Amino acid sequence: MREVKVGVVGTGFIGQVHLDILKDLKGVKIGGIVEADPARASRVCEKYGTKNYSNLKELRDAGVEAVYITTPNKTHFNLAMEAIELGFHVFCEKPMTISLQDAKELEKAVNEKGVVFQVGHNRRFAYVYKFMKEKIETGELRPYSFQIKMNRGELLNPPWVSDRSYTGGFLFESTLHLFDMMRFLFGDVARMYVLGKKSVYNDFDDWAIAVEMKNGIIGTFTSCAHASWMIPFERVEVYGEHKMLSNDEMEKVYYCKGLDKEVEIHDYMKVDFKEKWGYVEEDEKFIEAVRNGSSPVVTVTDGVKAIEIVDACYRAVEGGEGYVEF
Ligand SMILES: NC(=O)c1ccc[n+]([C@@H]2O[C@H](COP(=O)([O-])OP(=O)(O)OC[C@H]3O[C@@H](n4cnc5c(N)ncnc54)[C@H](O)[C@@H]3O)[C@@H](O)[C@H]2O)c1
């Protein structure tokens, strides 16, 4: 098996989640990091037995062929463009960019350069959502409608999380995950009626959206940024013909098979969070694509489409009519 040498740019919370996984993956070598905070850099280098480089070019000169971009949202676009230009394969954490225009520019650059580019929509690999996807894809449950909620407890921690110039806005930071999930399970969006308001923070922190997908499935989507981390903070409910799927975050999935039938429940409480949140499989799949030169499982276009939904929501409430068609 050919060894893949990877680097990680930004080694805070999620950078270290990926480092923890990568260090144990067969045929992967951690070739270095780029971390702006010197104290953190030296702790991380000691922990993972690696070296801190000052920029992407140095990382490339050290023989690294694939990089993880796990810095704060607003830095993703420039770092990703530079990495692509240098010929790296890239795993970019969500949101890929904090504007639709940048997302499209990035998509163009990825296609022109032909590098592997995977976006960190980890929920696609989470056990609960893989279960739902399988029931829908095999036709066991044909969805007619759905209800989705994606809440945050606060916009206090870390302190920049309420700063829209940093995050792109609350929808980019948290809600985006389940916009991608909505596409993953039900296909592309046709139109939306969008309500949004600034309730507690100086950002649109309450959203109520009615959605119609291109295949006719309809649903509602709510997202609140000040819900106090009351669980479950994230849930998808899918309604079929006397059948239903739902989940409690990444912990449990429920499948009602019909009237008077048993409800199948899977409980992942005891599974390590890196597995049940999908991080392990998304990393395995990225490395596989790099090694084989194959298409990534979550593409740059998936990244663009999720950001298109966010962009449409903001347009709808900021001077728009509250209605958008795709
Ligand atoms: N997919 C997921 O479930 C998930 C979960 C958490 C975070 N994220 C995303 O990952 C990104 C990072 O989030 P986090 O919680 O790990 O943040 P964090 O603040 O814990 O870590 C960011 C790190 O990047 C470093 N950094 C900042 N600018 C840099 C630069 N230009 N070059 C090198 N290093 C730089 C910081 O010093 C810090 O160590 C965010 O975009 C966030 O939305 C995704």
Side-chain angles (χ1 to χ4, degrees), residues 8-18 33-38 40-41 44 52-54 69-76 79 91-96 120-123 158 160 166-167 172-174 177 277 279 282:
V8 175
V9 185
T11 57
F13 167 68
I14 203 73
Q16 290 189 50
V17 166
H18 290 297
I33 62 166
V34 180
E35 168 54 59
D37 172 348
R40 175 167 284 164
V44 170
N52 187 35
Y53 293 91
S54 25
I69 296 176
T70 47
T71 49
N73 304 3
K74 73 168 179 185
T75 64
H76 292 177
L79 285 167
F91 178 99
C92 185
E93 261 307 340
K94 50 52 63 177
M96 195 172 86
H121 288 303
N122 59 298
R123 300 298 200 277
W160 48 260
Y166 216 86
T167 63
F172 280 99
E173 182 51 30
S174 307
H177 274 302
W277 281 63
Y279 299 121
E282 76 173 348

Short mmCIF file of all heavy atoms in Angstrom, two decimals, residues 8-18 33-38 40-41 44 52-54 69-76 79 91-96 120-123 158 160 166-167 172-174 177 277 279 282, ligand 1:
data_model
loop_
_atom_site.label_atom_id
_atom_site.label_comp_id
_atom_site.label_asym_id
_atom_site.label_seq_id
_atom_site.Cartn_x
_atom_site.Cartn_y
_atom_site.Cartn_z
N VAL A 8 -1.54 18.99 8.46
CA VAL A 8 -2.76 19.58 9.03
C VAL A 8 -2.50 21.07 9.30
O VAL A 8 -1.56 21.41 10.01
CB VAL A 8 -3.19 18.84 10.32
CG1 VAL A 8 -4.39 19.53 10.96
CG2 VAL A 8 -3.52 17.38 10.00
N VAL A 9 -3.35 21.91 8.72
CA VAL A 9 -3.21 23.36 8.90
C VAL A 9 -4.28 23.83 9.87
O VAL A 9 -5.48 23.78 9.56
CB VAL A 9 -3.38 24.09 7.54
CG1 VAL A 9 -3.10 25.59 7.70
CG2 VAL A 9 -2.45 23.49 6.49
N GLY A 10 -3.85 24.24 11.07
CA GLY A 10 -4.80 24.60 12.13
C GLY A 10 -5.04 23.38 13.00
O GLY A 10 -5.69 22.43 12.57
N THR A 11 -4.49 23.39 14.21
CA THR A 11 -4.55 22.18 15.04
C THR A 11 -5.27 22.44 16.36
O THR A 11 -4.78 22.10 17.43
CB THR A 11 -3.13 21.62 15.29
OG1 THR A 11 -2.37 22.67 15.91
CG2 THR A 11 -2.47 21.19 14.01
N GLY A 12 -6.44 23.10 16.26
CA GLY A 12 -7.29 23.29 17.44
C GLY A 12 -8.13 22.04 17.64
O GLY A 12 -7.68 20.92 17.41
N PHE A 13 -9.39 22.24 18.03
CA PHE A 13 -10.25 21.09 18.33
C PHE A 13 -10.33 20.08 17.17
O PHE A 13 -9.94 18.92 17.30
CB PHE A 13 -11.66 21.57 18.72
CG PHE A 13 -12.66 20.45 18.73
CD1 PHE A 13 -12.56 19.44 19.68
CD2 PHE A 13 -13.66 20.36 17.76
CE1 PHE A 13 -13.46 18.37 19.67
CE2 PHE A 13 -14.55 19.30 17.75
CZ PHE A 13 -14.45 18.32 18.71
N ILE A 14 -10.82 20.54 16.02
CA ILE A 14 -11.11 19.55 14.96
C ILE A 14 -9.83 19.09 14.27
O ILE A 14 -9.74 17.94 13.82
CB ILE A 14 -12.17 20.09 13.96
CG1 ILE A 14 -12.87 18.94 13.23
CG2 ILE A 14 -11.56 21.05 12.95
CD1 ILE A 14 -13.83 18.18 14.07
N GLY A 15 -8.81 19.96 14.21
CA GLY A 15 -7.52 19.55 13.64
C GLY A 15 -6.97 18.36 14.41
O GLY A 15 -6.46 17.40 13.83
N GLN A 16 -7.13 18.40 15.73
CA GLN A 16 -6.60 17.29 16.55
C GLN A 16 -7.49 16.05 16.48
O GLN A 16 -7.00 14.94 16.63
CB GLN A 16 -6.40 17.76 17.99
CG GLN A 16 -5.24 18.73 18.09
CD GLN A 16 -4.85 19.06 19.52
OE1 GLN A 16 -4.65 18.17 20.34
NE2 GLN A 16 -4.73 20.34 19.82
N VAL A 17 -8.77 16.25 16.22
CA VAL A 17 -9.64 15.08 15.99
C VAL A 17 -9.11 14.33 14.75
O VAL A 17 -8.91 13.11 14.77
CB VAL A 17 -11.12 15.51 15.76
CG1 VAL A 17 -11.94 14.35 15.19
CG2 VAL A 17 -11.73 16.01 17.06
N HIS A 18 -8.82 15.08 13.68
CA HIS A 18 -8.31 14.43 12.47
C HIS A 18 -6.92 13.84 12.71
O HIS A 18 -6.63 12.74 12.24
CB HIS A 18 -8.29 15.42 11.30
CG HIS A 18 -9.67 15.78 10.82
ND1 HIS A 18 -10.54 14.85 10.27
CD2 HIS A 18 -10.35 16.95 10.82
CE1 HIS A 18 -11.69 15.45 9.96
NE2 HIS A 18 -11.60 16.73 10.28
N ILE A 33 2.67 19.97 10.42
CA ILE A 33 1.50 20.83 10.65
C ILE A 33 1.88 22.27 10.31
O ILE A 33 3.07 22.59 10.21
CB ILE A 33 0.99 20.76 12.12
CG1 ILE A 33 2.09 21.26 13.09
CG2 ILE A 33 0.54 19.37 12.48
CD1 ILE A 33 1.57 21.54 14.51
N VAL A 34 0.84 23.11 10.12
CA VAL A 34 1.05 24.56 10.09
C VAL A 34 0.09 25.12 11.13
O VAL A 34 -1.13 25.01 10.98
CB VAL A 34 0.74 25.16 8.70
CG1 VAL A 34 0.98 26.68 8.72
CG2 VAL A 34 1.59 24.52 7.61
N GLU A 35 0.63 25.61 12.23
CA GLU A 35 -0.21 26.11 13.33
C GLU A 35 0.29 27.50 13.72
O GLU A 35 1.47 27.68 14.02
CB GLU A 35 -0.16 25.13 14.51
CG GLU A 35 -0.74 25.63 15.81
CD GLU A 35 -2.17 26.16 15.71
OE1 GLU A 35 -3.06 25.41 15.31
OE2 GLU A 35 -2.39 27.36 16.04
N ALA A 36 -0.65 28.46 13.71
CA ALA A 36 -0.28 29.86 13.94
C ALA A 36 0.06 30.17 15.40
O ALA A 36 0.80 31.11 15.67
CB ALA A 36 -1.42 30.76 13.48
N ASP A 37 -0.45 29.39 16.32
CA ASP A 37 -0.21 29.64 17.74
C ASP A 37 1.01 28.81 18.18
O ASP A 37 0.94 27.58 18.25
CB ASP A 37 -1.48 29.25 18.51
CG ASP A 37 -1.31 29.29 20.02
OD1 ASP A 37 -0.16 29.39 20.50
OD2 ASP A 37 -2.33 29.19 20.73
N PRO A 38 2.14 29.48 18.49
CA PRO A 38 3.38 28.74 18.76
C PRO A 38 3.27 27.78 19.94
O PRO A 38 3.81 26.67 19.88
CB PRO A 38 4.40 29.85 19.07
CG PRO A 38 3.78 31.13 18.64
CD PRO A 38 2.31 30.93 18.59
N ARG A 40 0.60 26.23 21.07
CA ARG A 40 -0.18 25.06 20.65
C ARG A 40 0.66 24.21 19.69
O ARG A 40 0.67 22.98 19.78
CB ARG A 40 -1.48 25.50 19.98
CG ARG A 40 -2.26 24.33 19.42
CD ARG A 40 -3.67 24.71 19.04
NE ARG A 40 -4.53 24.86 20.20
CZ ARG A 40 -5.70 25.47 20.19
NH1 ARG A 40 -6.16 26.01 19.08
NH2 ARG A 40 -6.43 25.56 21.28
N ALA A 41 1.37 24.87 18.78
CA ALA A 41 2.18 24.13 17.80
C ALA A 41 3.16 23.20 18.51
O ALA A 41 3.27 22.02 18.14
CB ALA A 41 2.92 25.11 16.90
N VAL A 44 1.34 20.24 20.11
CA VAL A 44 0.82 19.29 19.12
C VAL A 44 1.97 18.50 18.49
O VAL A 44 1.86 17.29 18.28
CB VAL A 44 -0.01 20.05 18.05
CG1 VAL A 44 -0.36 19.15 16.87
CG2 VAL A 44 -1.28 20.60 18.68
N ASN A 52 6.34 21.62 13.03
CA ASN A 52 5.51 22.75 12.61
C ASN A 52 6.23 23.52 11.49
O ASN A 52 7.39 23.89 11.66
CB ASN A 52 5.25 23.68 13.80
CG ASN A 52 4.25 24.78 13.47
OD1 ASN A 52 3.31 24.57 12.71
ND2 ASN A 52 4.45 25.96 14.03
N TYR A 53 5.54 23.74 10.40
CA TYR A 53 6.11 24.52 9.30
C TYR A 53 5.41 25.87 9.26
O TYR A 53 4.27 26.00 9.71
CB TYR A 53 5.92 23.78 7.97
CG TYR A 53 6.74 22.51 7.90
CD1 TYR A 53 6.20 21.30 8.32
CD2 TYR A 53 8.06 22.53 7.46
CE1 TYR A 53 6.96 20.13 8.29
CE2 TYR A 53 8.82 21.36 7.42
CZ TYR A 53 8.26 20.18 7.83
OH TYR A 53 9.01 19.04 7.80
N SER A 54 6.08 26.88 8.68
CA SER A 54 5.45 28.20 8.73
C SER A 54 4.43 28.44 7.63
O SER A 54 3.63 29.37 7.75
CB SER A 54 6.47 29.34 8.78
OG SER A 54 7.67 28.97 8.22
N ILE A 69 -7.39 21.36 5.96
CA ILE A 69 -7.54 22.77 6.34
C ILE A 69 -8.57 22.82 7.46
O ILE A 69 -9.77 22.63 7.24
CB ILE A 69 -7.92 23.63 5.13
CG1 ILE A 69 -6.75 23.58 4.14
CG2 ILE A 69 -8.23 25.07 5.56
CD1 ILE A 69 -6.99 24.30 2.86
N THR A 70 -8.08 23.05 8.67
CA THR A 70 -8.93 22.98 9.86
C THR A 70 -8.75 24.23 10.71
O THR A 70 -8.68 24.17 11.95
CB THR A 70 -8.61 21.69 10.66
OG1 THR A 70 -7.19 21.57 10.80
CG2 THR A 70 -9.11 20.47 9.95
N THR A 71 -8.65 25.35 10.02
CA THR A 71 -8.54 26.67 10.65
C THR A 71 -9.96 27.28 10.73
O THR A 71 -10.92 26.71 10.19
CB THR A 71 -7.65 27.55 9.76
OG1 THR A 71 -8.13 27.44 8.42
CG2 THR A 71 -6.19 27.13 9.81
N PRO A 72 -10.11 28.46 11.34
CA PRO A 72 -11.44 29.09 11.39
C PRO A 72 -12.02 29.40 9.99
O PRO A 72 -11.26 29.63 9.04
CB PRO A 72 -11.19 30.37 12.19
CG PRO A 72 -9.98 30.06 13.02
CD PRO A 72 -9.13 29.18 12.18
N ASN A 73 -13.33 29.43 9.94
CA ASN A 73 -14.08 29.56 8.67
C ASN A 73 -13.52 30.57 7.67
O ASN A 73 -13.36 30.27 6.49
CB ASN A 73 -15.53 29.98 8.94
CG ASN A 73 -16.25 29.04 9.88
OD1 ASN A 73 -15.66 28.08 10.38
ND2 ASN A 73 -17.52 29.28 10.12
N LYS A 74 -13.25 31.78 8.15
CA LYS A 74 -12.94 32.85 7.19
C LYS A 74 -11.60 32.64 6.49
O LYS A 74 -11.33 33.27 5.48
CB LYS A 74 -12.98 34.23 7.87
CG LYS A 74 -11.81 34.52 8.77
CD LYS A 74 -11.78 35.99 9.15
CE LYS A 74 -10.61 36.27 10.08
NZ LYS A 74 -10.56 37.62 10.57
N THR A 75 -10.75 31.74 7.02
CA THR A 75 -9.44 31.51 6.41
C THR A 75 -9.46 30.39 5.35
O THR A 75 -8.48 30.20 4.64
CB THR A 75 -8.40 31.11 7.49
OG1 THR A 75 -8.81 29.85 8.06
CG2 THR A 75 -8.29 32.13 8.60
N HIS A 76 -10.58 29.65 5.28
CA HIS A 76 -10.60 28.45 4.43
C HIS A 76 -10.35 28.75 2.96
O HIS A 76 -9.58 28.05 2.29
CB HIS A 76 -11.95 27.72 4.57
CG HIS A 76 -12.16 27.11 5.92
ND1 HIS A 76 -13.32 26.45 6.28
CD2 HIS A 76 -11.36 27.05 7.02
CE1 HIS A 76 -13.21 26.03 7.53
NE2 HIS A 76 -12.04 26.38 8.00
N LEU A 79 -6.61 29.73 2.07
CA LEU A 79 -5.72 28.59 2.29
C LEU A 79 -5.99 27.49 1.26
O LEU A 79 -5.06 26.89 0.71
CB LEU A 79 -5.89 28.04 3.71
CG LEU A 79 -5.25 28.88 4.82
CD1 LEU A 79 -5.74 28.43 6.20
CD2 LEU A 79 -3.72 28.78 4.76
N PHE A 91 -8.39 18.28 2.09
CA PHE A 91 -9.59 18.05 2.88
C PHE A 91 -9.88 19.38 3.56
O PHE A 91 -9.06 19.88 4.33
CB PHE A 91 -9.36 16.97 3.95
CG PHE A 91 -10.56 16.73 4.81
CD1 PHE A 91 -11.42 15.67 4.57
CD2 PHE A 91 -10.88 17.61 5.85
CE1 PHE A 91 -12.56 15.48 5.36
CE2 PHE A 91 -12.01 17.42 6.63
CZ PHE A 91 -12.84 16.36 6.37
N CYS A 92 -11.03 19.98 3.27
CA CYS A 92 -11.34 21.29 3.83
C CYS A 92 -12.53 21.17 4.78
O CYS A 92 -13.58 20.66 4.39
CB CYS A 92 -11.68 22.26 2.70
SG CYS A 92 -11.94 23.94 3.27
N GLU A 93 -12.34 21.62 6.01
CA GLU A 93 -13.47 21.59 6.96
C GLU A 93 -14.59 22.49 6.44
O GLU A 93 -14.37 23.41 5.67
CB GLU A 93 -13.01 22.04 8.36
CG GLU A 93 -12.73 20.89 9.31
CD GLU A 93 -13.88 19.88 9.44
OE1 GLU A 93 -15.04 20.20 9.12
OE2 GLU A 93 -13.61 18.76 9.88
N LYS A 94 -15.80 22.19 6.90
CA LYS A 94 -16.92 23.05 6.55
C LYS A 94 -16.84 24.34 7.36
O LYS A 94 -16.26 24.29 8.46
CB LYS A 94 -18.26 22.35 6.74
CG LYS A 94 -18.54 21.65 8.05
CD LYS A 94 -18.38 22.30 9.38
CE LYS A 94 -19.20 23.49 9.77
NZ LYS A 94 -18.94 23.96 11.18
N PRO A 95 -17.38 25.45 6.99
CA PRO A 95 -17.85 25.70 5.63
C PRO A 95 -16.64 25.92 4.73
O PRO A 95 -15.67 26.56 5.14
CB PRO A 95 -18.65 27.00 5.79
CG PRO A 95 -17.96 27.73 6.90
CD PRO A 95 -17.44 26.67 7.83
N MET A 96 -16.76 25.39 3.54
CA MET A 96 -15.65 25.48 2.57
C MET A 96 -15.21 26.94 2.37
O MET A 96 -14.03 27.23 2.26
CB MET A 96 -16.23 24.92 1.30
CG MET A 96 -15.31 24.56 0.25
SD MET A 96 -16.28 23.72 -1.01
CE MET A 96 -16.89 25.07 -1.97
N GLY A 120 -15.63 18.73 4.66
CA GLY A 120 -15.89 18.05 5.93
C GLY A 120 -17.34 17.96 6.36
O GLY A 120 -17.67 18.33 7.50
N HIS A 121 -18.19 17.44 5.48
CA HIS A 121 -19.59 17.21 5.87
C HIS A 121 -19.67 15.82 6.52
O HIS A 121 -20.18 14.87 5.92
CB HIS A 121 -20.51 17.36 4.67
CG HIS A 121 -20.68 18.77 4.22
ND1 HIS A 121 -21.14 19.77 5.06
CD2 HIS A 121 -20.44 19.37 3.03
CE1 HIS A 121 -21.18 20.92 4.41
NE2 HIS A 121 -20.75 20.71 3.18
N ASN A 122 -19.17 15.74 7.75
CA ASN A 122 -18.99 14.45 8.43
C ASN A 122 -20.29 13.73 8.72
O ASN A 122 -20.32 12.50 8.83
CB ASN A 122 -18.24 14.67 9.75
CG ASN A 122 -18.98 15.61 10.67
OD1 ASN A 122 -19.18 16.77 10.34
ND2 ASN A 122 -19.43 15.12 11.81
N ARG A 123 -21.41 14.49 8.82
CA ARG A 123 -22.68 13.83 9.17
C ARG A 123 -23.03 12.73 8.16
O ARG A 123 -23.71 11.77 8.51
CB ARG A 123 -23.84 14.83 9.20
CG ARG A 123 -23.71 15.98 10.19
CD ARG A 123 -23.65 15.48 11.61
NE ARG A 123 -23.98 16.50 12.58
CZ ARG A 123 -23.14 17.42 13.07
NH1 ARG A 123 -21.89 17.47 12.67
NH2 ARG A 123 -23.54 18.29 13.98
N PRO A 158 -16.55 29.52 21.08
CA PRO A 158 -15.53 30.51 21.37
C PRO A 158 -16.03 31.93 21.09
O PRO A 158 -17.03 32.07 20.39
CB PRO A 158 -14.37 30.12 20.43
CG PRO A 158 -15.00 29.29 19.36
CD PRO A 158 -16.23 28.68 19.92
N TRP A 160 -15.46 34.33 19.12
CA TRP A 160 -15.67 34.82 17.76
C TRP A 160 -16.89 34.21 17.08
O TRP A 160 -17.27 34.62 15.99
CB TRP A 160 -14.42 34.57 16.89
CG TRP A 160 -13.86 33.17 16.98
CD1 TRP A 160 -12.80 32.77 17.73
CD2 TRP A 160 -14.32 31.98 16.32
NE1 TRP A 160 -12.56 31.42 17.59
CE2 TRP A 160 -13.49 30.92 16.73
CE3 TRP A 160 -15.37 31.70 15.43
CZ2 TRP A 160 -13.66 29.60 16.28
CZ3 TRP A 160 -15.54 30.40 14.99
CH2 TRP A 160 -14.69 29.38 15.41
N TYR A 166 -16.26 36.61 10.87
CA TYR A 166 -15.36 35.49 11.15
C TYR A 166 -15.96 34.15 10.69
O TYR A 166 -15.28 33.32 10.11
CB TYR A 166 -15.15 35.44 12.67
CG TYR A 166 -13.76 35.03 13.08
CD1 TYR A 166 -12.74 35.98 13.18
CD2 TYR A 166 -13.47 33.71 13.40
CE1 TYR A 166 -11.46 35.61 13.57
CE2 TYR A 166 -12.19 33.34 13.80
CZ TYR A 166 -11.20 34.29 13.88
OH TYR A 166 -9.94 33.92 14.28
N THR A 167 -17.26 34.00 10.98
CA THR A 167 -17.91 32.70 10.71
C THR A 167 -18.66 32.67 9.38
O THR A 167 -18.93 31.61 8.84
CB THR A 167 -18.97 32.37 11.78
OG1 THR A 167 -20.00 33.37 11.72
CG2 THR A 167 -18.38 32.33 13.17
N PHE A 172 -23.70 29.35 8.44
CA PHE A 172 -22.45 28.75 7.93
C PHE A 172 -21.80 27.88 9.00
O PHE A 172 -21.15 26.89 8.69
CB PHE A 172 -21.45 29.84 7.55
CG PHE A 172 -21.67 30.47 6.21
CD1 PHE A 172 -22.32 31.68 6.10
CD2 PHE A 172 -21.23 29.84 5.05
CE1 PHE A 172 -22.51 32.28 4.87
CE2 PHE A 172 -21.41 30.43 3.82
CZ PHE A 172 -22.06 31.65 3.71
N GLU A 173 -21.94 28.30 10.25
CA GLU A 173 -21.20 27.66 11.33
C GLU A 173 -21.84 26.32 11.73
O GLU A 173 -21.15 25.32 11.83
CB GLU A 173 -21.13 28.63 12.53
CG GLU A 173 -20.37 28.14 13.73
CD GLU A 173 -18.96 27.62 13.41
OE1 GLU A 173 -18.35 28.11 12.45
OE2 GLU A 173 -18.50 26.71 14.12
N SER A 174 -23.14 26.31 11.95
CA SER A 174 -23.77 25.10 12.48
C SER A 174 -24.79 24.48 11.52
O SER A 174 -24.72 23.31 11.18
CB SER A 174 -24.48 25.41 13.80
OG SER A 174 -23.60 26.04 14.69
N HIS A 177 -24.45 21.98 8.33
CA HIS A 177 -24.34 20.51 8.43
C HIS A 177 -25.63 19.84 7.98
O HIS A 177 -25.62 18.87 7.25
CB HIS A 177 -24.08 20.10 9.89
CG HIS A 177 -22.64 20.11 10.28
ND1 HIS A 177 -21.68 19.37 9.64
CD2 HIS A 177 -21.99 20.77 11.28
CE1 HIS A 177 -20.51 19.56 10.22
NE2 HIS A 177 -20.66 20.41 11.21
N TRP A 277 -19.71 10.05 14.96
CA TRP A 277 -19.93 11.33 14.29
C TRP A 277 -19.44 11.30 12.83
O TRP A 277 -19.54 12.29 12.12
CB TRP A 277 -19.24 12.47 15.05
CG TRP A 277 -20.00 12.92 16.26
CD1 TRP A 277 -20.27 12.17 17.36
CD2 TRP A 277 -20.57 14.21 16.49
NE1 TRP A 277 -20.99 12.93 18.27
CE2 TRP A 277 -21.18 14.19 17.75
CE3 TRP A 277 -20.62 15.40 15.74
CZ2 TRP A 277 -21.85 15.29 18.30
CZ3 TRP A 277 -21.27 16.50 16.28
CH2 TRP A 277 -21.89 16.43 17.55
N TYR A 279 -16.29 10.95 11.65
CA TYR A 279 -14.96 11.49 11.32
C TYR A 279 -14.00 10.41 10.83
O TYR A 279 -13.20 10.65 9.93
CB TYR A 279 -14.35 12.21 12.53
CG TYR A 279 -15.16 13.38 13.03
CD1 TYR A 279 -15.64 13.42 14.33
CD2 TYR A 279 -15.44 14.47 12.19
CE1 TYR A 279 -16.38 14.50 14.80
CE2 TYR A 279 -16.19 15.54 12.66
CZ TYR A 279 -16.65 15.55 13.95
OH TYR A 279 -17.39 16.61 14.42
N GLU A 282 -14.85 9.44 7.19
CA GLU A 282 -14.59 10.50 6.20
C GLU A 282 -13.09 10.61 5.94
O GLU A 282 -12.66 10.84 4.81
CB GLU A 282 -15.22 11.85 6.58
CG GLU A 282 -14.52 12.63 7.65
CD GLU A 282 -15.11 14.03 7.87
OE1 GLU A 282 -15.92 14.52 7.06
OE2 GLU A 282 -14.73 14.63 8.90
N1 LIG B 1 -17.08 19.02 10.89
C1 LIG B 1 -17.27 19.28 12.15
O1 LIG B 1 -18.01 18.61 12.85
C2 LIG B 1 -16.54 20.44 12.78
C3 LIG B 1 -16.42 20.51 14.19
C4 LIG B 1 -15.73 21.57 14.74
C5 LIG B 1 -15.19 22.55 13.92
N2 LIG B 1 -15.36 22.47 12.57
C6 LIG B 1 -14.79 23.52 11.69
O2 LIG B 1 -13.38 23.43 11.76
C7 LIG B 1 -12.79 24.72 11.77
C8 LIG B 1 -11.92 24.88 13.01
O3 LIG B 1 -12.71 24.80 14.15
P1 LIG B 1 -12.08 24.48 15.60
O4 LIG B 1 -13.23 24.35 16.52
O5 LIG B 1 -11.10 23.37 15.51
O6 LIG B 1 -11.32 25.87 15.88
P2 LIG B 1 -10.14 26.14 16.90
O7 LIG B 1 -10.20 27.59 17.21
O8 LIG B 1 -10.18 25.14 18.03
O9 LIG B 1 -8.80 25.81 16.06
C9 LIG B 1 -8.36 26.58 14.98
C10 LIG B 1 -6.82 26.52 14.95
O10 LIG B 1 -6.35 27.14 13.75
C11 LIG B 1 -5.21 27.95 14.07
N3 LIG B 1 -5.09 28.94 13.00
C12 LIG B 1 -5.87 30.03 12.76
N4 LIG B 1 -5.49 30.63 11.61
C13 LIG B 1 -4.47 29.91 11.13
C14 LIG B 1 -3.66 30.02 9.95
N5 LIG B 1 -3.87 30.98 9.05
N6 LIG B 1 -2.68 29.11 9.76
C15 LIG B 1 -2.45 28.13 10.67
N7 LIG B 1 -3.19 27.97 11.79
C16 LIG B 1 -4.18 28.85 12.01
C17 LIG B 1 -5.53 28.51 15.44
O11 LIG B 1 -4.35 28.94 16.11
C18 LIG B 1 -6.17 27.28 16.11
O12 LIG B 1 -5.20 26.43 16.71
C19 LIG B 1 -13.95 25.71 11.69
O13 LIG B 1 -14.13 26.09 10.35
C20 LIG B 1 -15.16 24.92 12.17
O14 LIG B 1 -16.36 25.35 11.58
C21 LIG B 1 -15.99 21.43 11.99
#
